[in-house]
Amino acid sequence: MRSFWGLMRAYWVSDRWKEAWTLTLVIALLTALSSKAGVWFAEASGELVNSIAFFHDAANTTPLRSLLVNAGILVLLVVLKDAGFTGIRNLVSATLHRKWRGWLDSRFNEALLDGNHTHFHAQHASTGSGAPDNIDQRVQESIKDMTGGAIGLAMGVLAVATSLFFVGQKLLENSVEVKGLEFLGSYGSAILAFLAVATYVPLNTWIAVKLGSLLERLNVKMQQAEGSYRGELTTFLRRSFHVAASQGEGVQRTMHGRLYVDIDGTWTRLNIVNTVYMSFELIYNFIGARIVAYGPGLVPFIHNGLDLKGYITGSELVNSLIGQCSWFIHVMPAIATLRANSQRVTELANAIENVQHPQEFYSQTGRSDFRYASQNPVFGLTIQKLELAHQGEDATPFLSVANLRFRRGEWTFLKGESGCGKTSLIKAINGLWPYGQGTIVFPEGVKSFYAAQEVKLQQVTLKQLVCLPGSEHDHSDAQVASALYKAGLGDFLSHMDDESREGKSWDQVLSGGQKQKLVVARIVLQQPGLLFLDEATGALDPDGKVAFHQAIKDNCPDVTVISVMHEAVAPRSMTGSEFYHSIVAIAEGVATKKPLVPTLPAELTTILAQPRPVEDKWLRFSRRLKQK
């Protein structure tokens, strides 16, 4: 699906080809019947005009009856063609549209949400490498409009082909000799009609193509501008509190205005081109229906080669032929939109394909040479000669790690100033940092778990949130309830199967601290052997941080923990004992590991850990010092 035609045919050669081709064949049959009905309509129009023209003729003994019968036949043909063939065809084509779009949507969702984290890499790739903008718009609006437009255009092409066959056949049947073109025999009037259509339609089609290419470019630019503006609005609403707290409404308003200027300017140009195209199309339709259609038959009619009925019938047939052959002109704006939408979709497909091998992809814009291996779990996690950098072939590494080993059951605290690369380090270990080099060797067969501050997922049940990254079917209700209780979220046990509470999603219901307790519940339930904590306790008070660590300590024996926190000192248990065994300190771009050495005497540490007033603790300690 990385090219236009590959994207167009993918559904018809997929595992759902029977469904696709059945609907397509039904549409083709109804289109052919509709085209044949167009010929019947032209003949019936000629009969009706003839009955009107000869209404007062003495030879017409039943003028009113003839008029009413021909009018009734014409109405019945209109109902049969428009409400029958065309109406049912539209229903079937709408079904095909729904099925095709659903299949494409599922394919792109599967591709974006694979184990390779394609959605992450596609968004964080550099613009020069073809990173797609507004992925949500491409998956939703572009796929919908593209599939609908493609079906409509395909039906138009089929209608042109069938009309050429049926209408052309009828024109040849009704053709007569034309004075001055006797060498053509009885095909004279038909050839005149074909020449008129062949001259008039292609010339105007060329004009339509030129205008259409301009429409296509403006449509692409309009989609980009609309997507950027919508994306900024979505982001703004998510950070609404921060804008209000900083009184940043003025800056935000200016940003919205700047983005909308692009929409307004592009829309203005698009409206001008659409107006020009509409005027061109109206003039084209009038000349085609009133001059070109009635011109070829006028010569034999003047020389009595055709009667009025034959002239009207032939002109209506030519008009029908012009209308069908002008389909390309009528739908040029739709073609421009289709090409714009298909371009957006194929760009996304290309981006998805490009990031299937992330390191090869990132190597195009920088150095990306990470090697991931496994070893006996006894040796734990090992990092060798790791360097992290930003984009660019000559980018200087901002973090270097010579050799680090994390033993099984060891708890390590990452320490360093803000922006020194603590989070980047654990991202790189988990394959989520693009640029750099080095070797990461995981303990074989050990489950790894990356825990950030919260999980931003909506329209999911509480049980689904707790069971991440697995499925809700992987764990029983009792197991999930136990994990919630151990994490301090026992008040929500009766709401495990709810997607919301009091009309709010869980992302809105849970406070910052409760969201981080939810992280504890996930850890307790999943029982990982290797745990990465990325500022997972940032919203907890000191007691909450202790409880967070204690729950992991009590319920996850032998787990290896690597933790990033803003605290200068790692938290201790209520008894004063250390949760962490070692520290990785990052300073001046270099990470070094050392055992955790208490900075206070053990006696003082124990006293400070006791839940008593601060004054009493210092008083008791000073008395003991005096006794000594």
Side-chain angles (χ1 to χ4, degrees):
M1 297 190 292
R2 302 179 66 184
S3 66
F4 175 78
W5 291 113
L7 186 65
M8 291 296 106
R9 66 172 176 263
Y11 177 50
W12 279 263
V13 295
S14 69
D15 56 345
R16 291 168 59 177
W17 64 272
K18 291 182 179 179
E19 171 186 271
W21 282 107
T22 299
L23 292 170
T24 302
L25 290 175
V26 171
I27 292 172
L29 176 62
L30 291 170
T31 300
L33 290 173
S34 180
S35 297
K36 184 63 177 177
V39 175
W40 299 335
F41 179 83
E43 293 178 323
S45 296
E47 292 287 350
L48 178 60
V49 171
N50 190 63
S51 63
I52 294 172
F54 292 96
F55 187 85
H56 298 291
D57 192 288
N60 191 353
T61 57
T62 56
L64 183 60
R65 178 185 175 186
S66 176
L67 178 65
L68 293 176
V69 169
N70 288 326
I73 292 174
L74 190 63
V75 170
L76 286 175
L77 286 173
V78 170
V79 172
L80 177 66
K81 180 178 181 294
D82 295 339
F85 301 145
T86 305
I88 296 173
R89 184 189 65 174
N90 286 343
L91 176 61
V92 178
S93 66
T95 302
L96 178 60
H97 183 195
R98 178 171 57 85
K99 298 285 188 181
W100 186 15
R101 180 199 174 186
W103 179 81
L104 268 178
D105 183 80
S106 67
R107 290 298 305 275
F108 274 96
N109 271 283
E110 288 173 8
L112 285 167
L113 298 170
D114 59 3
N116 182 54
H117 309 304
T118 294
H119 62 95
F120 174 82
H121 296 303
Q123 291 185 90
H124 290 79
S126 64
T127 304
S129 299
D133 64 333
N134 306 307
I135 292 178
D136 58 334
Q137 182 194 52
R138 294 170 189 259
V139 173
Q140 182 189 11
E141 296 177 10
S142 296
I143 287 180
K144 178 184 177 182
D145 294 342
M146 183 201 70
T147 50
I151 292 171
L153 294 176
M155 288 193 302
V157 171
L158 187 60
V160 170
T162 53
S163 292
L164 283 172
F165 176 77
F166 291 122
V167 175
Q169 184 183 47
K170 198 65 181 178
L171 278 172
L172 290 172
E173 288 179 5
N174 296 342
S175 182
V176 296
E177 187 178 278
V178 178
K179 188 174 181 180
L181 298 175
E182 290 84 359
F183 64 94
L184 295 175
S186 61
Y187 294 112
S189 64
I191 290 176
L192 276 180
F194 289 140
L195 283 174
V197 174
T199 302
Y200 183 67
V201 175
L203 175 63
N204 287 277
T205 299
W206 179 82
I207 298 173
V209 169
K210 293 298 182 182
L211 291 173
S213 62
L214 182 57
L215 283 172
E216 179 186 345
R217 291 194 298 272
L218 289 173
N219 272 315
V220 171
K221 189 171 183 181
M222 189 67 175
Q223 288 188 13
Q224 292 172 339
E226 292 276 13
S228 298
Y229 186 54
R230 185 185 64 185
E232 177 55 38
L233 285 174
T234 302
T235 304
F236 155 63
L237 293 174
R238 289 176 179 171
R239 64 184 183 212
S240 178
F241 168 77
H242 302 286
V243 173
S246 61
Q247 298 184 10
E249 284 82 1
V251 175
Q252 188 71 43
R253 186 166 54 250
T254 302
M255 190 185 305
H256 289 177
R258 186 172 65 250
L259 289 172
Y260 194 79
V261 165
D262 194 22
I263 293 177
D264 190 64
T266 306
W267 200 358
T268 299
R269 294 191 293 274
L270 191 59
N271 287 340
I272 292 172
V273 177
N274 275 322
T275 301
V276 171
Y277 197 94
M278 181 185 69
S279 302
F280 157 75
E281 189 176 1
L282 290 173
I283 295 171
Y284 170 84
N285 289 340
F286 175 80
I287 294 175
R290 293 291 177 264
I291 298 176
V292 179
Y294 283 81
L298 187 60
V299 177
F301 177 71
I302 291 174
H303 293 92
N304 294 318
L306 281 175
D307 58 12
L308 180 62
K309 174 184 173 182
Y311 175 51
I312 296 298
T313 300
S315 298
E316 286 296 322
L317 287 171
V318 175
N319 187 29
S320 175
L321 187 62
I322 291 174
Q324 294 294 348
C325 292
S326 302
W327 163 86
F328 193 74
I329 295 174
H330 298 321
V331 299
M332 182 55 68
I335 291 175
T337 302
L338 169 64
R339 289 181 61 85
N341 283 313
S342 63
Q343 179 181 332
R344 304 277 285 169
V345 177
T346 52
E347 283 176 358
L348 177 58
N350 278 306
I352 290 173
E353 185 66 26
N354 289 340
V355 300
Q356 291 308 299
H357 302 286
Q359 291 198 50
E360 294 179 10
F361 177 72
Y362 289 122
S363 294
Q364 300 173 20
T365 53
R367 186 168 186 177
S368 183
D369 189 18
F370 297 104
R371 191 177 73 88
Y372 295 89
S374 60
Q375 62 186 1
N376 192 302
V378 173
F379 300 107
L381 173 69
T382 303
I383 300 174
Q384 301 170 350
K385 299 179 181 179
L386 183 69
E387 291 183 344
L388 303 184
H390 294 293
Q391 181 182 335
E393 291 290 343
D394 301 325
T396 302
F398 63 82
L399 178 61
S400 298
V401 180
N403 287 286
L404 291 179
R405 173 169 291 178
F406 303 91
R407 304 185 311 274
R408 183 170 58 183
E410 180 182 8
W411 286 43
T412 304
F413 174 50
L414 270 62
K415 181 179 179 180
E417 295 182 357
S418 180
C420 68
K422 300 186 296 295
T423 295
S424 301
L425 176 57
I426 62 172
K427 284 182 177 178
I429 295 173
N430 286 274
L432 297 176
W433 186 262
Y435 301 107
Q437 61 180 337
T439 301
I440 298 97
V441 186
F442 282 88
E444 189 174 15
V446 174
K447 183 190 294 186
S448 179
F449 191 103
Y450 190 123
Q453 290 189 18
E454 59 180 286
V455 178
K456 293 183 178 294
L457 287 176
Q458 298 183 353
Q459 297 182 351
V460 293
T461 65
L462 182 59
K463 182 179 179 181
Q464 286 176 306
L465 285 173
V466 179
C467 292
L468 286 172
S471 166
E472 60 181 316
H473 305 295
D474 296 338
H475 305 278
S476 66
D477 287 350
Q479 290 173 320
V480 175
S482 175
L484 284 169
Y485 180 79
K486 291 175 181 178
L489 295 174
D491 293 341
F492 299 101
L493 294 181
S494 58
H495 300 280
M496 285 195 306
D497 295 324
D498 298 338
E499 290 186 0
S500 60
R501 189 177 181 187
E502 298 177 354
K504 297 180 178 180
S505 65
W506 288 107
D507 190 52
Q508 298 171 310
V509 171
L510 299 176
S511 66
Q514 288 172 331
K515 289 175 182 178
Q516 296 187 347
K517 290 180 180 179
L518 184 64
V519 173
V520 176
R522 292 173 56 213
I523 295 169
V524 170
L525 183 66
Q526 298 294 337
Q527 289 290 301
L530 184 58
L531 175 61
F532 299 91
L533 300 178
D534 186 3
E535 299 181 12
T537 61
L540 296 173
D541 58 23
D543 289 340
K545 292 175 183 178
V546 171
F548 181 100
H549 286 81
Q550 193 65 56
I552 297 173
K553 197 80 170 180
D554 294 341
N555 295 282
C556 302
D558 298 326
V559 63
T560 301
V561 178
I562 301 174
S563 177
V564 173
M565 288 182 287
H566 283 304
E567 288 77 359
V569 178
R572 299 179 177 88
S573 71
M574 294 297 292
T575 62
S577 61
E578 301 284 357
F579 287 118
Y580 290 89
H581 307 102
S582 58
I583 290 179
V584 170
I586 300 177
E588 298 181 354
V590 178
T592 55
K593 183 183 175 187
K594 59 184 179 180
L596 182 63
V597 179
T599 57
L600 295 173
E603 186 175 18
L604 179 57
T605 302
T606 303
I607 293 173
L608 291 175
Q610 295 175 1
R612 297 178 182 176
V614 175
E615 295 82 358
D616 290 348
K617 295 176 182 177
W618 280 106
L619 184 60
R620 290 174 181 273
F621 178 65
S622 62
R623 288 175 181 174
R624 292 181 183 178
L625 288 177
K626 289 179 180 179
Q627 290 174 359
K628 290 182 179 180

